[in-house]
Amino acid sequence: MTELLNQLERVMPTEIKGRVARTVGMAIHVNGFPAPLGATAMIQRETGSPLFVEVVGIQENTTIVSPLGSTTGVRRGDQVRLVKTGRWIRVGDGLLGRVVNAFGEVIDGHPASTLNRRTDLDSPPPSAVNRPRISEILPTGVRVMDAMLTCGRGQRMGVFAGSGVGKSVLLGMMARYTGADVSVIALIGERGREVNEFIENELGEEGLKRSVVVVATSDEPAQVRVRAAMAATAIAESFRARGQHVLLLMDSLTRFAQAQREIGLAAGEPPATRGYPPSVFAALPKLVERAGCTKQGSITGFYSVLVEADDPQEPIADAVRGLLDGHTWLSRGLASRGHYPAVDVLESLSRLMPQITTPEHLAAARRIREILAAYRDHEDLISIGAYRPGANTTVDVAIAARDQINAFLQQAPEQNSGGQQGIAQLIQLANVCQLPTGVNPAVQAGAHQGVSATPRPTVATNQ
């Protein structure tokens, strides 16, 4: 009943019509058409089928609309008619195992499912004060993620990567092996060739059974790509409202931002940081804040960020890193050496890991990080043979355990070894990599650098 009342509030009791005045790039300017922002309208072309558009801006007496299809055949004077003022999508269990477009229409060639419920595309995020604290681990099935970058139910993580470093494979592994009830996968701005490849090779038949795949390829209008990201989030919200734990995988958030940039510039916004208008940086938090925990269920979000020129400081990567609860960095250097998943542990972080892991697990992860950092700091000396064994015990351990650690951090796509199994392996590995009893690496490092490093005696005190 509440949903019906909300829809009735947005109904406009009078018919609204206008005429196409001109086009500027991909924006269409309409005269005499006072429709609200976000409304859907229809342009009746002289030839061919009608073109559906969405209102994205208002300039003086002109309404700016963005096309949801090809603009071929649109001409000045074509009639524009308001269709609906709200944006919604049909949802239900019938979406599981299906591939849909930005409008929720099935595109996998099978008969459409019966969906009796619908939800808004523009639902507000859960209230900040009503969000439960994140306290449970969500297994992803990827060992390096579950052990070294542990994620909680309702957390939002970024997967930062350049092109061709295994981002899609990593997301496919998560979708197949996750401990969530449902996976919602948004493929935004992907190449058309890659959609079936992802579904058949990375997701697989078993992964698809409990997943919903939302697709908007790179050749579709910018408004459709933006709408696809919102549709995937709305579908995830509908499952969360029914008490389920959802894994939302969005590939990629960068292409969502690029589509929003196209819309903003076409609507007349001034470009700001590297050509991105302010509306892009306003849209990003509105989208990612919709994920998270509620009293009914949770949405755990993994958002891939395509980093231009492998530059972690480019505007979208920098903005998203501050919005999310952690980031996973995929390294081109690791990928070029055949190290998959190409996760650079030292450059990655899960902000909630200390809150949701046991002390033993956290200590083991920190120990492996310490060893990896020690090896990286001395890698140049080691590679040219200038490092003297015994100069730093931590580096000695790092050299001896390098193969074991690398084997632990790697995983074949068809292998599910995350969760508690991966955590147990991490603790075992950290125990193997402990320093000999009584050795202080800081003391050895100071002595190696010619600094006086006499250890202070331990004094027992009575409290």
Side-chain angles (χ1 to χ4, degrees), residues 106-336:
V106 293
I107 57 174
D108 53 16
H110 301 294
S113 304
T114 301
L115 304 171
N116 298 322
R117 295 181 296 111
R118 63 185 187 180
T119 186
D120 284 339
L121 287 184
D122 305 296
S123 298
S127 170
V129 295
N130 291 330
R131 290 179 185 247
R133 291 189 61 185
I134 296 174
S135 58
E136 297 181 34
I137 293 175
L138 176 71
T140 66
V142 181
R143 184 166 53 231
V144 63
M145 301 292 294
D146 292 342
M148 300 297 296
L149 302 166
T150 312
C151 180
R153 291 189 188 273
Q155 189 170 346
R156 301 157 307 166
M157 292 279 287
V159 179
F160 293 75
S163 57
V165 295
K167 176 175 74 277
S168 297
V169 175
L170 177 61
L171 295 179
M173 292 171 67
M174 291 182 189
R176 282 202 306 271
Y177 306 135
T178 180
D181 302 319
V182 176
S183 296
V184 179
I185 303 162
L187 302 179
I188 312 298
E190 290 290 311
R191 305 175 188 91
R193 171 187 60 81
E194 294 179 328
V195 174
N196 272 340
E197 287 184 3
F198 178 85
I199 294 171
E200 295 174 7
N201 299 338
E202 316 303 346
L203 187 57
E205 184 178 352
E206 289 301 314
L208 182 60
K209 285 181 180 178
R210 57 171 179 170
S211 301
V212 183
V213 182
V214 183
V215 175
T217 52
S218 58
D219 60 303
E220 297 190 68
Q223 194 65 46
V224 175
R225 282 174 272 149
V226 169
R227 190 184 181 105
M230 300 175 70
T233 305
I235 292 170
E237 288 171 332
S238 72
F239 286 110
R240 178 180 64 185
R242 297 169 57 194
Q244 294 182 293
H245 298 291
V246 184
L247 176 66
L248 174 61
L249 303 174
M250 188 170 295
D251 186 16
S252 72
L253 198 57
T254 301
R255 293 192 175 108
F256 165 82
Q258 290 171 345
Q260 187 67 48
R261 174 174 62 181
E262 290 180 39
I263 297 168
L265 293 176
E269 277 192 86
T273 309
R274 291 201 192 176
Y276 286 97
S279 63
V280 173
F281 300 101
L284 286 170
K286 288 181 180 178
L287 183 68
V288 301
E289 279 293 326
R290 292 169 66 178
C293 287
T294 66
K295 295 178 180 179
Q296 291 78 31
S298 67
I299 299 175
T300 306
F302 281 85
Y303 302 88
S304 76
V305 179
L306 188 61
V307 182
E308 295 181 3
D310 292 343
D311 177 14
Q313 305 305 320
E314 65 94 18
I316 299 303
D318 192 46
V320 171
R321 195 163 48 243
L323 293 173
L324 301 179
D325 305 317
H327 52 272
T328 302
W329 181 263
L330 301 187
S331 164
R332 190 174 299 279
L334 290 176
S336 66

Side-chain angles (χ1 to χ4, degrees), residues 371-417:
I371 292 171
L372 289 171
Y375 189 93
R376 180 172 294 184
D377 290 344
H378 295 76
E379 189 167 11
D380 290 342
L381 293 176
I382 295 169
S383 63
I384 64 175
Y387 174 75
R388 179 166 54 87
N392 186 307
T393 308
T394 305
V395 179
D396 292 341
V397 172
I399 295 172
R402 179 170 172 75
D403 290 342
Q404 285 179 282
I405 294 175
N406 281 338
F408 171 79
L409 296 178
Q410 296 180 67
Q411 180 178 338
E414 63 275 6
Q415 180 186 11
N416 178 5
S417 60

